[in-house]
Amino acid sequence: MHPRPTRLLTAIAAVGILMTSSGVAVGAEYLYYSSTGLSGGIGRVAVDGTGNNAAFIPGGAGYLAASATNLYWAVPPASGPSYVGRAAIDGTGVDTTWLNQGGANSPAVAINSRYVFYGVNISGTNYIGRANIDGSGNNPTLVSLNGLQAAFVIAADENQVYWGSGGGATRISRVAVDGTGVNADFVTGTNGVTGLAVTPTHLYWSNTGGSSIGRVSIDGSAANASFISGLGSDVRGVAVSGNKIFWADRGNGNLGVANMDGSGVNQSLVTGLGTGLFGVATQYAGSNATLTVSRTGAGTGTVTSSPAAIDCGAICSAGFTFGTSVTLTAKAASDSAFTGWSGACSGTIATCALSMSEARTATATFYRSSDLAPTVLAPRRRVVSGQQFRLAIRARNTTTTTATSVTSCLRLPSNIAVVRAAGGLRSGRTVCFRLGDIAAGASAAKVITVRAATSRRVTRSIGGSDRLAGGPRVDAAPVRMTILPRPARARVAG
């Protein structure tokens, strides 16, 4: 969500604001940016670069974090203790002393769905502090950074906290959200980390010294410090939202944007923000409920979502704002059929509606039209008009995985009438049965009783088919039945 590689993909136009950290929070319709100093503040601009409001929230601000309902930021201290500030996402209810950090703060703030994280210096020792998302349970000394790099910028997901110390630092460190398992050299070879963004698959960072944005897999492999290069002389922060990457150029006072794959670089999305521009926010992927789609079966097909985010094959995982209603649609290729859902979706209808109140997974099953071998079984091939006999339709699964929600049908000629078809669904001259799931290599069959009628000798074809629910009908070779007229009875004249 997010294929092109599978990734988290959140449409910027979706309802709500993404959780972010450090500088500019990427929202449903807006970017939020901050500037340093007590004369600075938090600005807001539409994601297309229009409607800039530099005085959205006046006052000093370091990096930012945003949830669906609130903005959080590091308040530069005039003197005494430092704080994390908070306001409603619409800019109202500003509280610059919302959370007391208990020491001299760094500009770093990040959130996940449960906690607020921040950097702080207490009596000469650097720490990463943590509080519950409502401000309770504040612990300014969760992680002691004595002997480690200071936390100048922070990003967090549900499991890990990442930090860098800016300046000429050449590494990114990581620790579990409970403060254990410090990995000081999670990523090395950076060049002044001034922004971090984490998604389920990658960690992104801005290099001030390298004028670039780097990327590394979430397990620390495949680091590329020049994922996007040739940017301004003082890149501050990176935000990843939807299929876009945003950053700030402090030297030029601009916000930039590029496609998720690093193409389409535009260094002037927003200009004229001044050299006090501090950075863009890192996106916290966990602010959204992640929807993951998979496909199974020997057939081929795609699954798409509305709102547009998932297009699997290509993009099979996406994040949606909590509570968003998402509709998945399965579409089989021309040689295949969609046979049903499993996981968060069920049934055989090609569309599935979900409420993203939590992370969900759904699997669509596709079979090739030839994967279920249909056969019509008849105990005799010659019958007399008026005679009853039985017919069976059998479906055999020739694949190595279970075929789900199979429906089998018999098509009858006009002179073959149905006598009994327990559980059958009739439509005109067609009788269908729901066979359900058929294991690999197994078969299932249904039997009906019919009666032949004719006044002369005829040969009729009784067609067999397997219809995969939601897909095309697959014809079996027909069975030819010969119907003989009833023999005439001699009448004796009285």
Side-chain angles (χ1 to χ4, degrees), residues 15-111:
V15 177
I17 183 83
L18 303 181
M19 292 186 181
T20 63
S21 62
S22 74
V24 171
V26 181
E29 299 177 353
Y30 302 102
L31 304 177
Y32 298 83
Y33 60 87
S34 60
S35 57
T36 57
L38 294 175
S39 60
I42 298 170
R44 187 180 77 169
V45 63
V47 294
D48 63 1
T50 62
N52 181 37
N53 180 1
F56 179 65
I57 297 179
Y63 287 120
L64 300 174
S67 70
T69 55
N70 295 297
L71 285 168
Y72 305 81
W73 66 93
V75 180
S79 61
S82 58
Y83 297 90
V84 173
R86 188 179 75 165
I89 202 66
D90 62 0
T92 62
V94 175
D95 184 353
T96 58
T97 59
W98 177 71
L99 183 67
N100 190 333
Q101 295 177 313
N105 69 345
S106 80
V109 171
I111 60 175

Side-chain angles (χ1 to χ4, degrees), residues 143-208:
V143 182
S144 174
L145 304 182
N146 189 25
L148 303 174
Q149 61 181 352
F152 179 83
V153 61
I154 298 175
D157 57 24
E158 292 301 293
N159 300 307
Q160 302 286 337
V161 181
Y162 308 83
W163 77 94
S165 63
T170 59
R171 63 184 177 178
I172 297 170
S173 302
R174 186 177 78 169
V175 66
V177 293
D178 64 359
T180 63
V182 172
N183 182 351
D185 296 315
F186 177 64
V187 179
T188 59
T190 64
N191 194 353
V193 179
T194 53
L196 288 168
V198 60
T199 75
T201 58
H202 290 92
L203 179 70
Y204 299 83
W205 74 92
S206 55
N207 292 292
T208 295

Side-chain angles (χ1 to χ4, degrees), residues 474-488:
V474 186
D475 292 331
V479 171
R480 295 178 67 80
M481 298 287 300
T482 299
I483 306 173
L484 302 174
R486 183 174 297 179

Side-chain angles (χ1 to χ4, degrees), residues 113-135:
S113 64
R114 296 173 292 169
Y115 302 116
V116 178
F117 301 93
Y118 56 88
V120 65
N121 184 287
I122 302 175
S123 301
T125 299
N126 291 311
Y127 295 92
I128 293 176
R130 188 189 76 180
N132 295 324
I133 198 70
D134 62 359

